[in-house]
Amino acid sequence: MDRLDREILGILQQDARISYRDLGVRVGLSANATADRVRRMRREGVIRGFTTIVDPAADTAGGLVVFIDVTLRQDTTNEEFERQVAKLSGITEVVHVTGEHDYLVRARAADPAALDGLLRRMKREAGVAQSNTRIALRAATRPDRP
């Protein structure tokens, strides 16, 4: 990756729907050259996909958004945890982190009872020894804005 690739990525992270023509104008390339670079980065796995960011306030049926600090049982490998937790409904992000805990899990649950069920399944099926859960009250910043 060079400077232009990084510049293209930065713009796409702000607006993934920008046309190749407009993107090219912003980085000083033709639409075709810009499209070629984006296709190459997709092919090489630099760009893994495109997504839609929904304002949590607009999603009234979304239930609770929670952040779960997870410590694994000693007999559970990272690979096994990641494989098992990916099967659980409601998990939206799993991040291996440094510090006191092994992972930070972001999830959605319809209500406290559904959250309790998710936590029980994580302990039973994914090798979680301990968890610490925080409920998101509101988003102070939005990921689609720097």
Side-chain angles (χ1 to χ4, degrees):
M1 278 196 357
D2 62 12
R3 179 193 59 79
L4 280 175
D5 288 343
R6 284 189 287 282
E7 192 172 343
I8 289 169
L9 288 173
I11 294 167
L12 288 174
Q13 286 175 319
Q14 296 301 311
D15 181 6
R17 292 184 48 120
I18 190 171
S19 70
Y20 290 133
R21 181 182 59 83
D22 291 342
L23 181 56
V25 166
R26 291 189 52 190
V27 298
L29 294 173
S30 70
N32 287 339
T34 303
D36 288 344
R37 282 177 175 262
V38 171
R39 280 192 287 271
R40 177 183 46 78
M41 287 190 282
R42 289 190 73 191
R43 190 173 52 252
E44 292 174 353
V46 174
I47 297 174
R48 295 188 307 185
F50 298 92
T51 189
T52 301
I53 299 169
V54 178
D55 185 342
D59 185 7
T60 57
L64 304 172
V65 173
V66 298
F67 297 93
I68 308 166
D69 294 313
V70 168
T71 302
L72 301 181
R73 290 191 314 246
Q74 288 199 354
D75 65 339
T76 303
T77 65
N78 293 47
E79 294 77 16
E80 181 65 17
F81 169 75
E82 292 170 12
R83 190 172 30 260
Q84 293 302 322
V85 80
K87 298 176 185 178
L88 300 178
S89 176
I91 303 293
T92 57
E93 187 174 17
V94 178
V95 181
H96 188 222
V97 295
T98 62
E100 183 178 342
H101 303 285
D102 298 312
Y103 285 87
L104 174 63
V105 176
R106 181 181 176 138
R108 282 189 169 274
D111 53 37
L115 174 58
D116 180 56
L118 175 62
L119 293 170
R120 289 171 183 264
R121 287 190 69 196
M122 287 175 65
K123 290 178 179 176
R124 185 176 60 245
E125 300 171 20
V128 172
Q130 294 180 322
S131 64
N132 181 38
T133 304
R134 292 164 284 151
I135 298 173
L137 300 176
R138 67 180 175 88
T141 61
R142 292 179 34 193
D144 60 336
R145 302 232 169 104

